[in-house]
Each structure stands twice: as C-alpha cells, then as structure tokens.
Amino acid sequence: MKLTGVLYKQHIDRQLKRLWYVKRERKVRDTKTERKLSKFEIQVKDPLEIIRPKQEFPRLKLEFLKPRPIAFDETHPDWKAKACSIFKNNNVLQEGFCQAQILTNTVCLPNSSSNYIQDLFPDLPEHVDNIVKRIIYTSNIFDAHQVKLPKKKDPERPAWVFPRDYGITNHRKMQNLSRKFLQLCESLSGLEIAQKRCILYDGIIKLNLDKESDLIQFTISSDVTVMSTNPLKPIENSNSNMEIDLPNIQPLHHTIGLDKTNFYKTEDMYRNILITAVSPTIPWINVHTIFVHYDPIRVRNKTELPVTQNQIFSRTLIKTYTMAASCARQKFGSSVKKLPEPVTVQCIQSDGKNYHFFVFQLNSLDTNDVSVKNFWYPLPPLTLYEKAEYNNGRPVVEGYNPEVFRRILALYRNGS
Amino acid sequence: MFAHIRQKVLFNIVVKYGKHRKYSTPAVSEFNSIESIYPPIEDMSFKAKYKRKRQAWYEEIKNLETVEEKLFKINMPRYYGWKSLILKEHVVPYNSLSHAQYFTRTHIVKESGLPAYYNTVISIEQLDKIVQSIKSDIEDNIIFEHCIRRREHEMKVDKFPLDENIKALDRKINMEEIISKALIQRINRTVLIHLASENPHLLQTEIDFEPRLEASWFMGGLNPPNFVRNFRKSIKFLKEFVDDSVDLPVQYIGQPVMHLRCKHPLRQIIPLSDCENPDLEVPTFKLNPKMLTYALEKKHLTNIPGFWPGDENEFGFLSYHNCTYLQTRPEKYNDTSTALTVQAIMASYSWLLSQACYQGFSTFNDITYPLTTQTIITNGQWWSFFVYQLNTTLVHSEYADENPKRNICWVTEPMKLFDKIENEKVHGLNEEVLKTLIKFYMNIPEERIGVELKPYLGKSVKVIADIEHNERRNWLEKQYKHLVANRPRHRRIPEIYDWQKIYIIKHKTRPMDKKREPWEFGIKMYKRTLDDHQPTYIPKCLRENPKKKKIGRWAKTYYR
C-alpha cells in the first residue's frame, strides 16, 4: 500500500514552487559584454552615474467641488472622551420592563390600587360612535396612500420571495388615528378644555442621566404630546408604596443592550420649547398625555429576535419617564433631584389596534437613590377593532370596541 | 374518357340551370304600403370614422357600472401607460398662466376678491363676534410655531461642510415647509374648536393630512409635434390633415397639506347656464408644453382625490396648500400672484375632477351639475384664497376650443396674516384674513335635492365592493390597486436604442445580426394593450380537475 501520491515529473506547479529553491543564491555571471564593447572602443559606464535619483514631489491638496465628509474621529465637534450609552427612539431594552424599571427607578403599582381617573367611560351620543368608526375606516382602509411596504418573510420558508405590497404604512395609520381622535376629543370637549390644551407632533427630546457613574442619554421623539396649563394630580403620596422593591436583573448590568458612543451632545431639550422662553408666555408647561406609537417595522431588537410585549412596555416607560423628567427639570430647575411635588403624565401606547393606558408619577430624578421611587400605574388594555382592512374585496371593520375612544376622551378631559 | 365527358356535360347543365334560376324574377311582386326605415347614411370619411370609433369608446366607458372599472377602462389601450404630460404642484414654470387656464378651460374673474355669494354665508355681527373670540388663539398659534417650538435640532445634520449660502437657502425652504404645515394644522384645529360645537357640519367633516391627490385628463387642441406632422405627410390620405390638432394625456400630481371633506357638495356659486357666456375669456395655449420645461412620462392615468371610492365623505370642502417653491424664484420677477394662481387652478381643477370621477363622470363624459371647492395657499404669513367652480370636464379633442362651458375661478390677492413678530408678540394681525377664513368654514354644504348625483353609475352597484360575483370583485380590487400604484414593470419596456437607430435603421450596417427586438418584427410595443399578457398559471394541484391538461390551466381575467 502506498501512503503518498505519485509525483508526476512533468507537474508544472511543482516546478513553479521550486523556483524559490533554484533562485536562492544568484550568481552574477560575467556576460563578457564589457570586453566586447571595449573591442569596438565604446566606453562603458557604471549605471549609477547615469540614473537620476527618484524625485519626491510634494503632494498637492486639491479642493474638489464636493467637499469631504466630516470625519467621525477625535476632530469631530461632538467627540467626548467618556462614552455614553444612548437609547434611541426605535430601540428596546434587552431585558425588557425590569431593566427599564431599574434605569428609571420605577415601581409598578398593582392594577387595582387606586381609582385615578373619574368618569372613565363618559356617556356619548350614538353619532360619536359613527364618527369614530368612520375615522377607523378612513385611516386604515380608505386612505389612498400607496408606498412600498417592507419585505414580507415567511419563517417556514425564508428563501421565498413574496411580491412587494404597496399600501398605507403602519406609521401613517397610527398617526392618522391619533390625530383624528384628538381632533374629535377637542371638538367634543368644547372651548373651555381645549384652550387649556396644546398639542405637539413629533417633537424630539433628549435627556441625560448619571446612574452609578454611567452616562445615559435618552433621545426619543414624542409622537403626540398633549400639554396643559394645569398639572395632573398625583396618583398617590410620593412616600407611599415603600414596600415594593425594584426588580433584580443580576448578574446583568443595567445598561446591557444600549449603544455606546463617543459622539454626543450633553444639552437637554424639553419637547422642543426653548428653555429661555417659558413661563411668561407659555401657559401650557405641563405634559398631560403622550401617545406612544409602536411600529413593529421600525422598532426592532438588535438580535433580530421578535420584540416581546415586555420590551414594548419598557420603551413606553422610558419615553414617559423622559417626558416627565424633562417637564420636571423645566419646572423646578435643571439640577433638581427630589421633586417638591410629583409630576404625573398619562400615556397611551398603541400599535393602531391595541391600546394600552398608563399613568406615570415622577417623584424623584435621582436614579441612584432608591428610597424614593417613581410610580407606574397600568390600566387594563383595550382593543379598538379585530379587523379593519379590505377583506374579500370589501372594506370591513369587525369587532369595533366603543370603549377605546371613551377612555381616550376621559384621559383627555382628566384634570381639566 | 367516357366518364370524363359525362361529368363535363353534367356540369354544363347545372351551370346553365343555375344561371337560369338566378335571373328569374317573381311574377307578382308584393306591394308594401309601409315606408321602409333605413339606417342613417354614415359619413365614411377618415375623420368621421375615427370620431365614431372614439365616440363608441366614450359610450363604453359611460355604460360601465362602477367607478373603478371606468377609470380602469381609460387605461386599457396602453400596457406600459399613456405617455402623458406630468404636472407637479410645486413645479410652476414662468409664464404658465395661459397654459394652466387653457388646459383646465378656466376663466379667472377679473375683479379680485371672493364672489358676492360669500356675503350671505354669515351675518356681519356674527362674523365679528367669532373673529374677536378667535383672534387671541390664532396669535398664540403663530407665536407658538414661530418662536416657541425649537426646530434647529430637527434639521438633518449636514454630511458635508456645505457653502453657507446653499445651507441658508435650504434651511429657509425646509423651515418654511415645516412651519407652514404645522401652522395650517394648528389654525384648522383652533377654528374647528371654536365653530364645531354650533355647526354640526364641521363635526362631521373628514380631515386628511397630506392626502394623495392625483388627477388625469385628455387635453385636445394642441399643435401637432413634428414627428406627427412628418408621419401624416408620409401617408397619402392623411396629407390634408397635417396641421390638425392632437390630444395629449395629462397627469397631475398634487401635494396638499390638508383636505377637509363632507358628505354633501358645496352649493354652486353661479348657475350652469351663466357659464356658457362667451364673454368669459379663456386664453389659448396650443404650443408644445415641453417649451415650459414640463416633461412627458409613461404612466397609467390615475384619478385619486385622497381616498378610495366607497368613502361616504366624497365631496371637497376646503384644501390647504403651501408654496415653498416661491423661495427659489427671484423677487425681481414679481410673479408671485401669477404662480399662486397657476397652482390654485391646477390644484382645484384636479381635486374637483377626481371627485367628479368618483361620481361616475370622466374626462370624456361631462358632469351634469357644477361642483365647487375652496382652496387656500399659504406660507404661514401670506394667505391667498381661491374659489373654484367646475362646470365642465370636457377639454379633449375639439372640445378644447368649442366647448361653450367654462370653469370659473375667483382669486384674492395674497394677504398678510400678520406684519411681523417681535419679542414674541404678533404685530398687525390682519382681521380680514381671519374673516375670509371663517367665511370658508361657514359655507355649509347642502344636499342637492332633485339632482341625480351619480347618473352614469349602476343602480345598486356603484363601486367594486358592491359587485356580487366573488371572483370578479376580488380580481378587480387587486388589479385596480395594482394599476394605480404605478409600480414599475418587472421587465424593461422595449425600446429602440440610439445605436440601433444609427447602425441598423438609418444605416444598414449590420445585415447579418439576428433579429431579436420586437420592433424588428414590426411589432409596435407601445401599442400593446393592458390585457395583452399571459394570465397567471394555475398549478395542477390547485385545479378543479387535475387530470385535464388544458382546462383550468390559466387564471381567469375580467378585463372589459
């Protein structure tokens, strides 16, 4: 039995591989040229006398029509030595609601702890239900927008390419619903309440926090913000509920999953209002209600795993906290820690179909001090409709729930 | 041999006998006392035949039952879309007013200002009362959007260190876009809050934010382009029609900020008969619109007033637009009001035309009652108000010049809502603007009693969703949405490339090339009709009878 392969003598590759061996010692042979040339009386010179040395030209700096992009390094105007963990608008926290609770120093109150909102389901005439139904029809079905929707994927057969759909984006559906609902709320509530409210769309808010020597920044956009002249009353006394503890996510760190960057700005911004131009001219300084839209296409996990309900709540909590904290900093000064009076914000989270309602009470801005905690009070969730789409060639809304709009109206009128 | 002769003899007899029969006449002819009715003698000239053919097509469109099928039918002759003139709302060329008027058959009322009808909408005392109560809220709105909201960080960070002048202009345009949109929404909200409680029609109004507005029509009366003239010259019987006008499909793409819609139409401002007055001038513009920098594109023609057919609030009430493009026009040309008028005419006509299409009318079937709309164009500070009455939608072929009806547009000069903002205070708030605005909102839509709104639609079937036949309804729904999405075709549109034109057609330098392109076989690809395609293949396992090879192999189509 032969263990090695046959070496073919004519194998060209073997010859090429052997080159290094052949050429390892190169001898300078006498070509006898010099002698022959001198026979013809031609002068022979050393080549180094003739060859000019290589010239080094200075490199020219050319300015082209298109300027060079700004470099992301130490020269960047926003570069800082200390890295900052940033939570952006479309991020979710890896560990979900528990992590958000630790970051924001918040405890979740039990569901039936208090009866915060009076008149949760106001009586409305029947034609209002028809208007609400019409709003669902126009924003989900009859809106003629046609843009390229995201790619569809079937987990069972991931290689299959579906034809791309054209239609209304989730973002637009939710935006339309929220705007139209609010418009209806205002028309129904009348001048007295509506004048105390002010509505903002798509404001960008930044909040900087120091937690256990980590720098954390929340950069979020408030999809819809309702502001009011009167503050909402707190849910409970800020010193109560001491017995509820924060959850423990050991051995994980509380900044797990957040992006770290050296390029950031440290200034706070409060719902797009110049901090210098507040009290004398603007009566609406309190955040009243915020709408948080959850678009499954935009909000994603880094791991590409599906986003869990728990993670969506974490995003909502961070958004609400950011709004309340910015409001508190504006009211009581930017260095305030324990608030003289709590700031309460209502929150409506929706994905266009399912509505979750929360009330958040901010007691302290000191995230390191666990003696005073903030409160998070969820109300039972509701579903606006089962189905609202073109079904079998016909526009269909099934399972419409009239309670949803009534509750939104109750939240809007609350504390008027 | 014998047999052959006999056959010949027999044949002769038959022929003679047959001839004999043919020439014979009946002995007694029946006397007919009733006058015979003959079909009219048709003009068999080329023009008349062509016109009859077109007329038959218009009738077919008219007789279709649903809105979507009518709009579908207009697109049937072109698989790759009609080569149409693209008009965009924010592209307004210089000197284009006569073009806009001629293409929409619009007469502009000379006296600037709203029609007298608006004085009857609301009493003066009531108007003053509302203005006084609303004034401070509007001032707050302006201050909020201009001074209090902080927007610098909403601007995208520049990727490149650009020139300061470019940056400043870009930022100015961007800022005006944001502020005008936000201010329009805020003012609309304020007005609705103040008026909705006492006016139920405002509570029922549907508000669309940045809706999709598209309209299309056929424009006639244009001078033929050179390639058409040359073609006509090359054919004997077309030589006499060399200079005849041509039709051009037009597609308008709007960019409104906000639409308000109602269940009932607004009242007409002048009766239909007054619109046939020849004193109402409409200028002509027969030149090729390309000279105004407009471009042609292959597109399926669409008519969409912001919503799909089937929505109950289908009549326009008020539309808001902004005018950021004015920033790029040098002030010394001083044509702001002309540009605004062009924008308003196009936007109002297109919105009304697409609404009319949802009532069953089209660019070929004229509306039977007038439609009205109100348009506001603003950049936040300057406000222009327009009222438009659509009396006719016929502007194709000979109707471009011969149609007695005209559409009418009332124009107000741009007015300043406020003079300036200093120290977060509004100076010089113009109440006149607020009064006009409130008049627009107080113009109550009314049910048209005694007018059949949808004469050309079916009695029970008006939109696709009403169709009983399941398969046909689903097919139509899917295909209609597919068509109006104007998505690009999967395969490239065949064309004659420049090198082919030079080296194959003009100079026959490549005689040995294999023929591959459709035009080499004399196929005119741009004339391919919409139904000229293989239907979807149905796999065997899905067929009703999988054993039959030919039956149920291709999916059904419902083109009409």
Side-chain angles (χ1 to χ4, degrees), chain B residues 72-85:
Chain B
F72 210 104
K73 182 87 183 171
I74 294 178
N75 283 302
M76 278 304 287
R78 291 288 183 278
Y79 183 84
Y80 295 109
W82 290 96
K83 192 157 191 184
S84 46
L85 177 71

Side-chain angles (χ1 to χ4, degrees), chain A residues 1-8:
Chain A
M1 203 175 108
K2 204 164 184 259
L3 289 172
T4 55
V6 181
L7 289 180
Y8 293 105

Side-chain angles (χ1 to χ4, degrees), chain A residues 80-351:
Chain A
K80 309 271 183 323
K82 192 180 177 187
C84 170
S85 309
I86 291 190
F87 181 89
K88 284 188 184 159
N89 197 28
N90 292 337
N91 294 12
V92 285
L93 292 171
Q94 181 60 40
E95 284 304 301
F97 195 65
C98 298
Q99 196 185 347
Q101 274 182 291
I102 296 169
L103 279 176
T104 58
N105 193 18
T106 305
V107 290
C108 190
L109 300 187
N111 212 335
S112 57
S113 66
S114 69
N115 191 8
Y116 179 65
I117 295 161
Q118 279 97 42
D119 192 18
L120 200 53
F121 298 108
D123 279 333
L124 288 176
E126 200 178 315
H127 74 266
V128 174
D129 273 331
N130 291 337
I131 296 177
V132 176
K133 259 192 202 172
R134 201 193 65 209
I135 287 174
I136 298 170
Y137 267 105
T138 47
S139 23
N140 281 292
I141 299 171
F142 289 127
D143 190 356
H145 255 251
Q146 279 187 311
V147 287
K148 211 176 196 178
L149 296 180
K151 280 178 187 166
K152 271 200 288 187
K153 278 286 168 204
D154 184 5
E156 295 289 310
R157 30 173 201 168
W160 181 259
V161 181
F162 285 95
R164 284 295 278 274
D165 282 336
Y166 278 58
I168 323 167
T169 55
N170 277 335
H171 178 70
R172 192 175 158 87
K173 278 184 195 171
M174 291 185 291
Q175 204 181 27
N176 272 346
L177 273 178
S178 302
R179 286 183 181 195
K180 289 179 180 184
F181 278 165
L182 270 178
Q183 181 72 54
L184 187 59
C185 282
E186 295 194 314
S187 297
L188 288 176
S189 306
L191 205 52
E192 204 177 304
I193 299 176
Q195 273 179 337
K196 289 181 189 163
R197 303 272 189 274
C198 174
I199 299 171
L200 262 186
Y201 298 109
D202 300 326
I204 295 170
I205 298 119
K206 278 184 186 174
L207 183 77
N208 292 307
L209 281 179
D210 285 312
K211 189 172 171 72
E212 296 171 13
S213 79
D214 291 316
L215 198 57
I216 303 168
Q217 191 175 68
F218 299 140
T219 309
I220 58 152
S221 88
S222 66
D223 301 305
V224 183
T225 317
V226 182
M227 298 185 297
S228 73
T229 48
N230 306 341
L232 285 170
K233 65 177 196 308
I235 313 171
E236 280 181 40
N237 187 352
S238 58
N239 293 324
S240 60
N241 291 308
M242 296 302 287
E243 67 284 356
I244 309 176
D245 282 333
L246 286 177
N248 191 357
I249 57 166
Q250 288 291 343
L252 296 176
H253 193 252
H254 55 254
T255 57
I256 188 166
L258 292 180
D259 280 329
K260 283 205 167 180
T261 176
N262 290 69
F263 305 95
Y264 58 91
K265 286 179 180 164
T266 45
E267 44 156 15
D268 278 1
M269 273 187 284
Y270 170 51
R271 48 171 213 212
N272 284 1
I273 290 178
L274 277 172
I275 294 172
T276 51
V278 194
S279 44
T281 47
I282 304 176
W284 318 282
I285 52 166
N286 302 293
V287 177
H288 186 271
T289 310
I290 67 167
F291 282 72
V292 177
H293 295 160
Y294 163 65
D295 183 355
I297 304 301
R298 294 191 183 184
V299 180
R300 289 194 168 197
N301 257 322
K302 269 186 188 169
T303 49
E304 295 188 7
L305 289 169
V307 179
T308 60
Q309 190 72 38
N310 206 355
Q311 286 180 321
I312 303 167
F313 288 154
S314 76
R315 176 171 172 264
T316 311
L317 172 56
I318 297 263
K319 278 199 170 198
T320 321
Y321 177 79
T322 312
M323 294 300 300
S326 322
C327 177
R329 278 196 183 167
Q330 197 194 21
K331 266 168 104 174
F332 308 117
S334 55
S335 57
V336 68
K337 289 287 177 192
K338 168 115 178 36
L339 307 184
E341 55 178 287
V343 170
T344 315
V345 176
Q346 301 174 108
C347 172
I348 300 170
Q349 178 206 311
S350 95
D351 61 351

Side-chain angles (χ1 to χ4, degrees), chain B residues 246-260:
Chain B
V246 289
D247 274 20
L248 181 68
V250 183
Q251 172 76 52
Y252 174 84
I253 299 163
Q255 240 179 304
V257 177
M258 194 190 273
H259 272 172
L260 276 76

Side-chain angles (χ1 to χ4, degrees), chain A residues 67-68 70 134 138 142 144-146 164 172 179-180 186 195 197 199 201 272 282 392-394, chain B residues 137 148-150 153-154 161 185-186 189 204 206-207 209 212 307-308 465 473-474 481 487:
Chain A
R68 287 172 199 287
I70 300 162
R134 201 193 65 209
T138 47
F142 289 127
H145 255 251
Q146 279 187 311
R164 284 295 278 274
R172 192 175 158 87
R179 286 183 181 195
K180 289 179 180 184
E186 295 194 314
Q195 273 179 337
R197 303 272 189 274
I199 299 171
Y201 298 109
N272 284 1
I282 304 176
N392 202 10
R394 286 182 173 133
Chain B
D137 283 354
I148 295 167
R149 256 198 95 154
R150 195 174 161 190
H153 61 279
E154 283 187 20
Q185 286 182 13
R186 208 164 271 283
R189 165 188 171 256
Q204 299 285 349
E206 190 63 57
I207 304 165
F209 303 97
R212 176 181 178 191
F307 54 95
W308 296 126
R473 185 180 62 238
N474 278 319
K481 297 279 159 73
R487 60 197 293 168

Side-chain angles (χ1 to χ4, degrees), chain B residues 25-250:
Chain B
T25 47
V28 185
S29 63
E30 214 174 293
F31 182 69
N32 200 350
S33 62
I34 307 158
E35 207 173 308
S36 7
I37 302 165
Y38 296 101
I41 299 168
E42 286 183 339
D43 183 1
M44 292 309 281
S45 68
F46 167 73
K47 277 268 147 182
K49 275 201 278 185
Y50 179 73
K51 203 176 164 187
R52 275 203 296 279
K53 207 175 152 191
R54 300 286 288 189
Q55 206 62 46
W57 186 43
Y58 306 155
E59 280 301 311
E60 274 176 41
I61 294 172
K62 192 174 167 181
N63 293 336
L64 286 172
E65 275 192 321
T66 62
V67 177
E68 288 98 327
E69 276 177 296
K70 280 175 201 272
L71 297 172
F72 210 104
K73 182 87 183 171
I74 294 178
N75 283 302
M76 278 304 287
R78 291 288 183 278
Y79 183 84
Y80 295 109
W82 290 96
K83 192 157 191 184
S84 46
L85 177 71
I86 306 293
L87 304 175
K88 289 182 181 162
E89 181 173 334
H90 284 192
V91 180
V92 181
Y94 295 102
N95 282 334
S96 59
L97 183 61
S98 53
H99 166 263
Q101 280 186 266
Y102 186 60
F103 270 54
T104 57
R105 201 159 176 74
T106 305
H107 168 78
I108 298 175
V109 177
K110 274 184 193 135
E111 304 83 47
S112 91
L114 298 185
Y117 163 81
Y118 276 89
N119 299 335
T120 60
V121 163
I122 182 170
S123 68
I124 298 170
E125 303 86 55
Q126 216 179 343
L127 188 63
D128 282 337
K129 211 176 102 193
I130 296 172
V131 167
Q132 291 314 321
S133 69
I134 214 170
K135 211 169 133 185
S136 63
D137 283 354
I138 297 277
E139 273 181 6
D140 285 349
N141 289 338
I142 297 166
I143 290 289
F144 192 91
E145 289 304 335
H146 275 92
C147 308
I148 295 167
R149 256 198 95 154
R150 195 174 161 190
R151 302 182 191 275
E152 295 84 58
H153 61 279
E154 283 187 20
M155 299 282 175
K156 274 183 193 158
V157 183
D158 297 320
K159 235 179 168 182
F160 303 102
L162 287 170
D163 183 30
E164 278 305 315
N165 288 332
I166 302 173
K167 243 193 228 175
L169 184 67
D170 273 359
R171 288 191 165 239
K172 208 175 158 196
I173 293 174
N174 203 345
M175 192 59 92
E176 193 189 293
E177 169 106 22
I178 296 174
I179 289 186
S180 59
K181 277 183 184 170
L183 195 63
I184 286 170
Q185 286 182 13
R186 208 164 271 283
I187 287 181
N188 173 59
R189 165 188 171 256
T190 310
V191 176
L192 284 184
I193 291 168
H194 277 264
L195 302 180
S197 52
E198 287 164 18
N199 300 285
H201 75 277
L202 290 179
L203 194 64
Q204 299 285 349
T205 343
E206 190 63 57
I207 304 165
D208 294 332
F209 303 97
E210 295 177 37
R212 176 181 178 191
L213 171 59
E214 286 175 18
S216 57
W217 64 95
F218 278 75
M219 183 63 213
L222 300 178
N223 290 346
N226 269 346
F227 76 92
V228 175
R229 286 166 54 88
N230 290 342
F231 170 72
R232 284 176 181 170
K233 274 181 202 164
S234 70
I235 291 172
K236 204 176 165 191
F237 72 95
L238 282 179
K239 267 184 189 161
E240 51 182 311
F241 308 120
V242 167
D243 288 325
D244 278 15
S245 62
V246 289
D247 274 20
L248 181 68
V250 183

